[in-house]
């Protein structure tokens, strides 16, 4: 294996910079952070007066950034916002967005053509693109779809060809215009010429080092440059030159071998992505041969990328940016480094996978946005390695370059060229001894451009499978998750050194003590599990969305349904802002430029046939929905 010495803080006094010390002191204090040994996992009864007293004493001071009254945990089938706020559905799965598309019909019998003109399912990451003061485009990911609601037969039958195409059309991206009315509310303009559906069969172009590589060529695309479609689009990014980034996550679930074909023996580097013959739940292989693993083993290499879309031109061809690496992408947190390089932070959401950074070769030109259009085509990918003294949840880190010919990424070690390094980025990260992480989800860069945050959602496998307990992943069997924060050395995102700590460690202070009670900024009133969505508003409030267990029982007692919280990065205070309906995930957020509207995604209410009728109520079918949230007094959200 490649031998990079791990950074020892005592050898690098220059890295102990003041920002680090100042912010660390106010962030996570260590509530018995004696590390994730089994001894720290003991459960306490909820009624234990000692743990309740601890929770009360350690509640953080009130923050000047957070101006709303916290909402309690909820198990109700509704979307709750603080006093003085209103939340209304903006759009739900199946609402028409293209001209001539039919209205939603909850029978589950509408065909593929209808779905292809409607808002896709499972709303996820989204970005707001202003057109004028009162008109804008929303670009929204439709991550996947729930067959129990998509089809009248609930997915219990073999899909026919139209049903496969309907499923493919429920995936992808929806781009639609919204307009602000006289009351200040945003509404969908369902017949706007801007509106567009991008699905699992929209023509795309591969760009960058892996485009055209032999591993990308298929029977349908012998050049290896023109894949069809994008799917399992999880979270997102937005560039200052006006494009949308959509990130392909769990692409492996869509490729399978037919039941009557022999199992496909895939190379280990393909299996690392979860590809296997038996992933038949989505059934696309039945009527779209591209997804038949026994016939087209290269097709999966064309997914797992970040895709750049020009939302302003509905005829533009989306571009898959292979320079950013192939893995199960969560979001793409883009910032402009003081040097002018574009830097994109990227999480790979799988237990024990990694955190990445892309640095563009070219420089951003604020005076010529057209010149920036292909900055993501060429650059350098890095992967993070964290270090810490034993027992500490802060330390130093470095970014290791994933460039062919360097750091052991050579032909003799199995990487023929840079394309192979990128297509099998996970294997390259292992080769350079990157830190295995507790499922990196969203990354968010503070508006001061000096600190970066990433949700590590949970990891039941921590402590086994070669995933050592320690550093930013301090708990074995981590069911709650944490938020790691790092400061690029001297504010430079292109520098390969950083310092880090844990901003929050989720836990349950009413049922556990020690590490599993969470950090000191977690208390009985704000507790949650599995932080996932993450984003800053212009004032530097950190918004946290959850995709966790909603049983509200056992170790999750008191946490209720999935939710959205707001944190002050300076004081560390975290306050619950919203709660979602039954069996949903809260994911996706976009602020209007005036910060007086926030759009929040409610994904898969009622999944697995849980009893939800959100948003329409009554006996209606539950539908993934984007909520529009405003203050009754028109004020700034969160203040
Ligand atoms: Fe689509 Fe990692 O969440
Ligand atoms: Ca997510
Ligand atoms: Ca998640
Ligand atoms: Ca989800």
């Amino acid at each position: 294996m490649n031998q990079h010495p791990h950074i020892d803080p005592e050898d690098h006094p220059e890295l102990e910079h003041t920002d680090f010390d100042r912010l660390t002191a106010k962030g996570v204090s260590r509530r018995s952070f004696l590390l994730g040994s089994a001894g720290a996992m003991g459960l306490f009864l909820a009624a234990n007066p000692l743990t309740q007293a601890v929770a009360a004493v350690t509640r953080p001071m009130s923050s000047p950034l957070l101006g709303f009254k916290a909402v309690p945990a909820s198990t109700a089938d509704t979307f709750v916002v603080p006093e003085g706020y209103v939340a209304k559905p903006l759009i739900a799965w199946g609402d028409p967005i293209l001209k001539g598309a039919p209205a939603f019909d909850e029978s589950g019998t509408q065909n593929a053509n209808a779905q292809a003109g409607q808002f896709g399912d499972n709303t996820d990451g989204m970005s707001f693109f202003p057109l004028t003061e009162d008109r804008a485009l929303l670009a929204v990911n439709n991550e996947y779809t729930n067959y129990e609601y998509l089809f009248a037969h609930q997915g219990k039958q073999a899909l026919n060809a139209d049903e496969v195409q309907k499923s493919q059309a429920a995936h992808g991206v929806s781009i639609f215009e919204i307009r602000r009315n006289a009351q200040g509310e945003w509404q969908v303009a369902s017949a706007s010429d801007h509106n567009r559906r991008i699905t699992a069969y929209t023509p795309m172009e591969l760009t960058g080092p892996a485009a055209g590589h032999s591993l990308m060529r298929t029977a349908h695309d012998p050049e290896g440059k023109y894949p069809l479609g994008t799917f399992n689009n999880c979270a997102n990014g937005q560039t200052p030159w006006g494009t949308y980034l959509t990130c392909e996550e769990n692409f492996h679930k869509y490729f399978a071998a037919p039941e009557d074909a022999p199992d496909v023996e895939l190379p280990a580097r393909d299996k690392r992505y979860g590809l296997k013959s038996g992933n038949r739940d989505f059934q696309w292989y039945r009527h779209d041969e591209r997804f038949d693993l026994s016939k087209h083993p290269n097709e999966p290499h064309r997914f797992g990328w970040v895709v750049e879309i020009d939302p302003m031109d509905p005829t533009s061809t989306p571009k898959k940016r292979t320079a950013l690496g192939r893995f199960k992408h969560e979001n793409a947190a883009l910032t402009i480094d003081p040097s002018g390089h574009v830097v994109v932070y990227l999480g790979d959401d799988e237990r024990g996978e990694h955190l990445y950074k892309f640095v563009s070769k070219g420089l951003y030109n604020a005076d010529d946005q057209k010149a920036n259009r292909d900055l993501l085509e060429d650059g350098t990918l890095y992967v993070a390695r964290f270090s810490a003294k034993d027992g500490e949840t802060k330390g130093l880190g470095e970014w290791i370059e994933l460039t062919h010919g360097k750091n052991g990424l050579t032909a003799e070690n199995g990487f023929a060229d840079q394309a192979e390094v990128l297509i099998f980025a996970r294997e390259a990260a292992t080769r350079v001894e990157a830190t295995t992480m507790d499922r990196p989800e969203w990354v968010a860069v503070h508006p001061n451009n000096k600190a970066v945050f990433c949700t590590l959602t949970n990891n039941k496998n921590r402590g086994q499978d070669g995933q050592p307990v320690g550093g930013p992943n301090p708990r074995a069997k981590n069911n709650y998750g944490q938020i790691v924060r790092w400061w690029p050395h001297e504010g430079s995102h292109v520098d390969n050194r950083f310092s880090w700590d844990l901003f929050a460690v989720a836990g349950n202070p009413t049922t556990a003590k020690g590490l599993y009670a969470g950090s000191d900024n977690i208390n009985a009133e704000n507790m949650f599990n599995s932080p996932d969505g993450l984003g800053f508003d212009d004032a530097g409030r950190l918004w946290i969305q959850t995709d966790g267990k909603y049983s509200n029982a056992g170790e999750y007692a008191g946490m209720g349904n999935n939710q959205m919280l707001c944190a002050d990065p300076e004081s560390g205070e975290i306050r619950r802002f919203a709660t979602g309906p039954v069996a949903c995930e809260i994911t996706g957020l976009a602020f209007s430029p005036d910060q007086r509207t926030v759009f929040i995604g409610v994904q898969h209410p009622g999944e697995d046939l849980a009893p939800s009728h959100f948003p329409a109520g009554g006996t209606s079918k539950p539908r993934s929905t984007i909520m529009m949230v405003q203050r009754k007094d028109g004020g700034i959200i969160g203040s």
Side-chain angles (χ1 to χ4, degrees), residues 117 130 132 155 206 239 271 304 340 357 388 397 402 436 445 469 510 516 582 592:
T132 67
L206 284 158
T239 71
K271 285 188 195 159
K357 173 180 86 164
L402 299 178
T436 64
V445 182
V469 171
T510 69
Y516 291 80
V582 166
S592 60

Side-chain angles (χ1 to χ4, degrees), residues 122-124 143-144 234 249 532 547 585 587 603-604 607:
N122 276 263
T123 182
D124 209 318
E143 189 183 34
Y144 67 105
C234 185
E249 192 186 22
D532 187 335
D547 173 21
E585 167 185 346
T587 184
Q603 192 189 57
H604 63 63
E607 69 173 346

Side-chain angles (χ1 to χ4, degrees), residues 527-603:
M527 60 182 171
F528 60 92
N529 74 90
S530 305
D532 187 335
L534 197 66
F536 280 100
D537 61 25
D538 287 355
R541 280 176 285 268
L542 179 65
W543 297 86
I544 304 163
Q545 301 177 317
T546 71
D547 173 21
K549 290 282 197 320
Y550 40 74
S551 66
N552 200 40
E555 62 191 320
Y556 306 103
M559 296 179 179
N561 294 347
N562 277 306
Q563 55 192 277
M564 178 153 140
L565 306 108
C566 186
D568 177 342
E570 281 287 324
S571 70
E573 181 177 356
I574 301 172
R575 201 178 289 180
R576 188 180 293 116
F577 178 80
T579 56
V582 166
C584 80
E585 167 185 346
I586 300 296
T587 184
L589 72 166
F591 284 85
S592 60
D594 64 8
Q595 309 285 290
R596 292 167 199 275
T597 302
V598 61
F599 300 96
I600 300 171
V602 175
Q603 192 189 57

Side-chain angles (χ1 to χ4, degrees), residues 320-362:
K320 298 201 176 193
R321 298 303 194 185
T322 69
L324 279 64
R326 174 172 169 267
F327 37 92
K328 294 183 185 175
H329 279 281
E330 187 71 20
N331 80 334
L334 185 148
T335 192
I336 307 297
D337 182 67
S339 64
H341 292 277
V342 178
V343 174
V344 190
Y345 292 102
L346 305 154
D348 180 356
D349 178 10
E350 185 123 48
R351 298 178 193 102
E353 289 298 338
H354 305 290
L355 181 64
Y356 296 81
K357 173 180 86 164
F358 168 84
V359 179
S360 69
K361 183 176 180 200

Side-chain angles (χ1 to χ4, degrees), residues 389-472:
K389 293 182 194 165
D390 266 1
E392 293 204 339
T393 52
K394 64 175 184 177
L396 300 173
E398 56 186 326
W399 294 102
I400 316 297
E401 187 173 341
L402 299 178
T403 296
H404 186 254
K406 295 187 181 176
N407 299 327
L409 302 173
T410 59
E412 63 188 11
N413 287 329
F415 298 93
D417 48 33
Q418 183 62 16
E420 289 197 11
V421 170
L422 295 167
I423 294 168
F424 304 113
R426 287 181 163 184
E427 189 187 15
T430 297
R431 162 66 54 182
V432 305
E433 300 179 333
T435 301
T436 64
M437 305 297 286
D438 286 348
R439 297 183 57 195
E441 299 248 30
W442 295 44
V443 182
V445 182
H446 190 285
N448 72 12
N449 211 17
K450 293 188 189 308
V452 191
F453 293 65
C454 176
T455 44
L456 302 172
T457 195
N458 57 53
N459 182 0
K460 66 181 183 195
N461 294 347
R462 176 63 58 189
Q464 45 182 318
D465 295 348
Q467 299 176 35
V469 171

Side-chain angles (χ1 to χ4, degrees), residues 216-503:
M216 304 294 246
R217 295 179 199 153
T218 66
H220 307 279
D221 174 23
E223 283 186 78
K225 287 186 180 169
Y226 302 103
L228 290 180
T230 185
F231 49 85
N232 215 277
N233 304 81
C234 185
N236 63 309
Q238 189 169 20
T239 71
W241 52 93
T243 59
Y244 182 66
L245 303 176
T246 183
C247 304
E248 297 174 342
E249 192 186 22
N250 291 302
F251 62 89
H252 66 292
K253 294 182 175 178
Y254 301 83
F255 295 92
E259 289 88 335
D260 55 1
D263 277 359
V264 181
E265 249 327 299
L266 292 163
R269 46 176 38 176
D270 281 319
K271 285 188 195 159
R272 174 84 178 259
Y273 289 84
L275 291 159
K276 59 181 182 199
S277 303
N279 289 335
R280 300 194 180 98
D281 289 355
F282 279 100
Q283 303 189 40
W284 290 3
Y285 66 93
R286 291 187 191 280
H287 299 284
D288 187 341
E289 197 190 279
R290 291 189 290 146
F291 297 94
D292 181 342
L293 261 187
S294 69
K295 291 186 176 151
H296 302 289
N298 277 352
E299 187 68 16
H301 300 150
R302 295 139 68 86
F303 299 90
W305 303 105
V306 173
V307 187
E308 184 168 10
I309 299 169
D310 177 2
M312 298 298 167
D313 176 4
T315 67
S316 61
T317 302
K319 293 182 176 177
K320 298 201 176 193
R321 298 303 194 185
T322 69
L324 279 64
R326 174 172 169 267
F327 37 92
K328 294 183 185 175
H329 279 281
E330 187 71 20
N331 80 334
L334 185 148
T335 192
I336 307 297
D337 182 67
S339 64
H341 292 277
V342 178
V343 174
V344 190
Y345 292 102
L346 305 154
D348 180 356
D349 178 10
E350 185 123 48
R351 298 178 193 102
E353 289 298 338
H354 305 290
L355 181 64
Y356 296 81
K357 173 180 86 164
F358 168 84
V359 179
S360 69
K361 183 176 180 200
L363 300 180
Y364 175 69
N365 182 347
D367 301 322
D368 182 2
Q369 293 299 354
K370 272 201 177 125
N372 299 317
R373 285 276 160 150
D374 288 315
L375 282 173
L376 302 183
E377 190 166 337
D378 194 4
T380 307
L381 191 65
Y382 301 82
V383 67
R385 190 192 290 153
F386 291 77
S387 59
K389 293 182 194 165
D390 266 1
E392 293 204 339
T393 52
K394 64 175 184 177
L396 300 173
E398 56 186 326
W399 294 102
I400 316 297
E401 187 173 341
L402 299 178
T403 296
H404 186 254
K406 295 187 181 176
N407 299 327
L409 302 173
T410 59
E412 63 188 11
N413 287 329
F415 298 93
D417 48 33
Q418 183 62 16
E420 289 197 11
V421 170
L422 295 167
I423 294 168
F424 304 113
R426 287 181 163 184
E427 189 187 15
T430 297
R431 162 66 54 182
V432 305
E433 300 179 333
T435 301
T436 64
M437 305 297 286
D438 286 348
R439 297 183 57 195
E441 299 248 30
W442 295 44
V443 182
V445 182
H446 190 285
N448 72 12
N449 211 17
K450 293 188 189 308
V452 191
F453 293 65
C454 176
T455 44
L456 302 172
T457 195
N458 57 53
N459 182 0
K460 66 181 183 195
N461 294 347
R462 176 63 58 189
Q464 45 182 318
D465 295 348
Q467 299 176 35
V469 171
N473 309 286
R475 294 181 292 193
K477 192 174 172 289
N478 174 14
N479 286 344
Y480 295 129
Q482 63 268 18
I483 299 175
V484 64
R485 155 175 69 178
W486 64 94
W487 294 272
H489 182 49
E490 294 184 343
S492 167
H493 295 273
V494 301
D495 196 291
N496 288 334
R497 295 163 292 177
F498 60 89
S499 51
W500 65 270
D501 76 353
L502 293 181
F503 174 69

